[in-house]
Amino acid sequence: MQVDYLIVGQGLAGTVLCEHLLQMGKKVVVVDDLTLSNSSKVAGGLYNPITGRKMVKTWNCDNLFSYLIPFYQKLEQKLGVRFLIEKPIYRPFASTEELNEWMGKSAEENYAPYIKEIKDRSAYGDHVNDDFGGILLNKSGYVDTAMLINAYQSYLLAEGFYRNEVFSYDHLELLNKGVKYKDISADRVIFCDGRLAQNNPYFQWLPMRPVKGELLFVKTHTSIELIYNRGVFVIPLSDGICKVGATYDHENVDENITSKAQNELTRRLKQLANFDFEVIDQKAGVRPATKDRKPFVGTHPAHKELVVFNGLGAKGVSLAPFYANQLANHLETGDHLDSEVNIERFFSLI
């Protein structure tokens, strides 16, 4: 079989990149193992333009957020499933000073597109502790990553674009032009293999810093319509079930749920919430994060037929569409890659 691209891994990165290449008329085959765990499937899936303790615009926000919503909407239409949930995020203020700061920022051209409303007094006190008011964000929501990945996997299987197997480096041959993998000949192979990149003999020099994250699923009798985010995020799903997260563990990088994480998330949720809740489930996954918190995008310095698209971390839902598009255009037309994500920044480590 002759293809343009062989993609290794069908998490969020592999899914989104594959779609961009197919839209460009390229022939693609994805190799992944259906039995392997996938951190993308247990991710919070939140896309949030203003983040962090200091509440600043997320890195490269304007580029990312102008692209991601139209991309996901178009993919929903193609797959015939709904996985993009556009929903305001409400973040309570911790003090009058924080309220005053955001009253000023809301008038700034830099922030205005992402601010739906500033509440100068309690607006959702029945649900959360917001004595000082809060900020209601625009261009926010979440992606049901498990639904997206499973639906796209079904599409790839139906089209004959999917190989259900563990990728074997022993079967990858680098040729004078292109690569050969078993019966597949490809111009390039793109590794979207998440945390497994640490075992990749061609890219293991990249400074991956995997981070374990745990989530809770809680049941409440309160009807919640917004996403709440302070200390923890609370994402309403359906039938009174909410997703609550997340933890960040750099030391115990496994996929086992822990009572420590449950206790920590429960404690933080109680500080935020005024609604009743019961923990009904818990999930854990390992995010493919990086040393500098920026993705790994680009081609191997010695083998131009080897490409990496990885390290999307906790903000993969926001990062994947824009940088998949940039990488696809880079490979096909030679367009530049942003220096912040180009793996050239780590060539000195080889």
Side-chain angles (χ1 to χ4, degrees), residues 257-292:
I257 62 172
T258 64
S259 57
K260 178 182 178 182
Q262 181 174 146
N263 292 337
E264 176 65 18
L265 291 172
T266 301
R267 180 186 66 80
R268 285 192 252 158
L269 180 56
K270 286 179 177 178
Q271 290 178 340
L272 172 66
N274 286 331
F275 54 83
D276 66 283
F277 67 89
E278 173 193 3
V279 177
I280 60 173
D281 199 5
Q282 184 172 350
K283 302 286 186 183
V286 179
R287 310 177 186 94
T290 68
K291 181 180 180 181
D292 62 359

Side-chain angles (χ1 to χ4, degrees), residues 7-21 30-32 36-47 64 67-68 71-72 75-76 79 83-84 141-153 156 162 190-195 243 286-288 295-296 308-325 327:
I7 293 179
V8 180
Q10 199 243 321
L12 185 64
T15 295
V16 173
L17 181 59
C18 181
E19 178 59 18
H20 278 85
L21 293 170
V30 176
V31 174
D32 200 7
L36 291 178
S37 59
N38 187 323
S39 64
S40 295
K41 292 184 178 181
V42 296
L46 201 64
Y47 61 94
L64 300 180
Y67 189 79
L68 72 90
F71 169 77
Y72 286 128
L75 188 52
E76 281 185 321
L79 299 176
F83 55 79
L84 174 70
Y142 72 95
V143 168
D144 186 331
T145 51
M147 181 175 291
L148 164 59
I149 291 168
N150 290 335
Y152 202 77
Q153 186 179 85
L156 292 174
Y162 190 94
I190 308 177
F191 292 99
C192 304
D193 43 359
R195 65 175 298 195
K243 186 186 293 187
V286 179
R287 310 177 186 94
F296 295 146
V308 64
F309 185 54
N310 205 336
L312 301 182
K315 296 182 178 179
V317 162
S318 303
L319 292 166
F322 180 81
Y323 282 109
N325 182 56
L327 176 58

